[in-house]
Amino acid sequence: MGSHGHGATPAPTPRELVLVCIFLALLFFMSQHSAGSDNSFLADYSPPLPPLKLKSPPLNPFPSPYKTESFIQNDGLVRETTIIKHVPGWTIIDSLYMHNGTYYVVTSNPPIDPPQTKYDPAQSPFLKLPPPKAILSKGHDIYGARGGMGNDPLRAPDALYLRYVSTAEFQNLFGIDLSVNEVEEGHVHTVPGLTFILNDSPQFITHYYHFCAELWFGVWRTYASLGGGHKLPPPTRVLFPNLDSAHWRDYANMNQLFMRSVLPSTQMLFSHDWYDWVSLSVIDKPTSESKTNGGTMKGKPILFPRVLLADRSAAMPAFNYQRFQRTAAVPFGLLIPQGEEGGDWWSPVRDSVRVFAGLDDDSANGSPTNHESQSQLESQRTDVQSALIHKLPNPPHDRLTVQDLIKPTVEERFSKWMAPLPSPPFVGSEDYETLKENFLVPLKHHANPGGKTDALSLLATSLTRQRTTRPVVTYLSRQDWNRRKLKTEDHESLVAELRKLEVELGIEVIVVSAENLSRWEQIRLVGRSTILIGVHGNGLTAELWMNLGFRSTVIEIFYPGGWAHDYEYTARAMGAGGGLKHYGIWNDEVLTSPGFPPPSYPPGFQGNEIPVDGKTVANLVRDRITAAGQLDDG
C-alpha cells in the first residue's frame, strides 16, 4: 500500500522546502551580521575600531596666585593657536583645531628659511614652534629594545595626524579669517572647557604604575607648571583617542580608584567618542554655507579652547627620558612658580586619594586644627626620638597601631592607656580630672615653658592622630606573588631583623602582602608609613600616597646588578624638600642618588631567588628612624 498510515506526517512539498531554505539562509545571514556588529557604524574615512573585550587581562616666570577663571579661555573667540607650555610629549595648547581626525596648529609665525617643501615631522615649518614629532605620534604600541625606540619611524605623525598651517592657509581651507576680532558663530564647533588628550596606546594603560605614576604623574606635573596648586580646576574631560572604554582599568582596580577620587566630576571619553567628533567635523557634500565661507575643505572644524596633550612616543626622544626611561621625567623641564605648595606639586592629587580612602590628612600632616598651637602639636608626638628630645615617656608597646587603623580594634586596653604626667602639680588639677573622667583616650602632656597649666595640651584631639605619631615601617612582601620574590631564608631573616628593631626603637613594623589587603587598606597603610620596603614591583607604586617628611623613605630591593628608575625617580620627583628618600639594595650594598647605576635587567631580575641581607636593611632603617634632630613627620 502506497498511502501513509494513520497519523503519519505528510512529506513536505517542493514549495515548502524552498521556503524553509530561504528562512535558514536569512537566519544564517542575520547571525553573521550580528556577530560582526560589535562596533558602531562609522563613516568610510574612520579607521576600524578594535573589538571590545569584556575583561581586561590581569596584568617664577609665572604670576601667582592665578585666578581660576584665567586657566581656561571661555570667551568663545576663535583665535590662532598658542602653545602655552611645551616639552617633548607634554604640551598645553590654546585653540587647537581638529578636522576629519587631523589636528591643526594655526599660526601667524613666520616660516622657516628656507621654507619647508614637504611634511617633515622632525622639523617645524614655522619659527618658534616645536616639530610635530615632539607633540604627537600615531599612538601605536612601542616595540624594540628596552626603551622602545625600535619602531620610532612608524610612530612619527604625518600630515593626516598633525598639520601646522598659517592663518592664510587656514582661511583657504575652511574660510575662517582669524585676523578679525570675532569669527562668525557657526564656522567652528567649540568644545568648551579644558580637555586632557592622552594619546598613548593601550599598551601600558592597564598597569597601575604606568597609569598613575607615569602617565598621570607627568600630566599633573605639566599642568602644575601653570601655577595655582590646589586651586587648579579639574579638566572638563579626559579623552583617550586610541583606547576603548574597556581598556583603562587595571586588574587590581587601582586605576579606577585613582580616577574616581581625583577627578570625580570629569567626563572620560574614548575612541568611539573621538570618532563621533571626527564624523561631526565632516560634511559629506558641500553646503551653501561652506561655499559662502570660501573654504576648500568640507565640514566644520572642532575647536578645543585649551588642551593638555600627552604622548608617550613624543616624549621618548627627550633627554630626561633617555636618562631615566620614564616619560614622566620629561615635564620636569617645566618650572613651577617658586614657593608654590612648598614645592609639593603632587599634593592636590595625593590629598584627594588619601581623603577618598579615609585618611585624616589634617592630622596626618601635623597641621594645627581646632585652634591648637604648634607646641600642642609637638606635645602629641610619642615616638622614641621625640620622647628623648622633649623628655617624654616612651609609649608602651601595646598602644594603638597602624594595624588597628586598617582593621580597627575596640579592645578596652587601647582606649584607657594614659601617659604618666611629668610633674605632680598636673595630677591634682581640676581640669585634668575632668578630662580624664570624660575622655577615655590616650592622654599626652606638655610642659608649658611659662609654668601655667594647659589642660587641653594633655589631650590628643583624635585617635587618628594618635595613630600617626609612631614611626611605622611597612614591608610589602612579594612572597605570595608569582615572580620577583626573595629567597625564602632571606625573607625570614629580614622579617626577624625588623622585629628586633620594633623592640629596640619602639617603632611599629607591618609585614604584609599587598594582594591580601583591599585597595583601601593599602592606601591607608602606606599613607601612615614612615618607611616603605619592598622588592622592585607594582606594590611600590603606593609611595605616591605617602606623607613627605624628613624620615620618609622608600627602600627598594633589586636582584644584584639590576636597576630600574621607576620608583627611584618617582620618589625623588615628588617635591616638598626633596621628596621621598629612596635607597636601592643589592643584597648587602646600599645605593642612592646620585650614586645609582644605569638601568639594567640581568638574568635573575624577574626571578624568585633574589638575595638580601636583612641586617643591611635593618641598619638602614635604624639610621633613618634615629636621624639626630629630625622629628618624626607623622
Side-chain angles (χ1 to χ4, degrees), residues 210-274:
H210 290 294
F211 186 81
C212 294
E214 189 169 27
L215 177 60
W216 277 99
F217 204 68
V219 165
W220 203 262
R221 184 58 178 74
T222 304
Y223 193 30
S225 70
L226 290 176
H230 280 78
K231 296 181 181 179
L232 281 168
T236 312
R237 65 196 62 83
V238 175
L239 170 63
F240 295 89
N242 304 309
L243 187 70
D244 66 64
S245 57
H247 289 86
W248 68 277
R249 298 170 173 86
D250 69 312
Y251 69 88
N253 296 324
M254 297 303 290
N255 292 357
Q256 297 90 297
L257 184 151
F258 177 89
M259 288 298 298
R260 305 311 185 196
S261 59
V262 177
L263 301 172
S265 63
T266 294
Q267 183 183 24
M268 294 184 67
L269 303 174
F270 300 92
S271 53
H272 292 73
D273 306 289
W274 171 246

Side-chain angles (χ1 to χ4, degrees), residues 508-553:
E508 182 180 352
V509 172
I510 302 292
V511 180
V512 66
S513 297
E515 59 268 23
N516 295 331
L517 298 175
S518 73
R519 52 186 181 166
W520 311 106
E521 290 171 337
Q522 291 179 45
I523 293 173
R524 290 172 189 160
L525 173 59
V526 176
R528 297 302 191 197
S529 297
T530 311
I531 296 179
L532 182 64
I533 304 171
V535 176
H536 172 77
N538 206 23
L540 291 179
T541 304
E543 68 183 1
L544 292 171
W545 324 126
M546 291 178 69
N547 278 329
L548 303 185
F550 290 117
R551 290 190 176 122
S552 301
T553 307

Side-chain angles (χ1 to χ4, degrees), residues 558-586:
F558 292 95
Y559 186 85
W563 188 265
H565 279 296
D566 302 33
Y567 308 103
E568 184 277 328
Y569 187 85
T570 304
R572 188 156 45 93
M574 285 175 67
L580 294 173
K581 185 66 176 176
H582 177 280
Y583 295 90
I585 301 291
W586 285 350

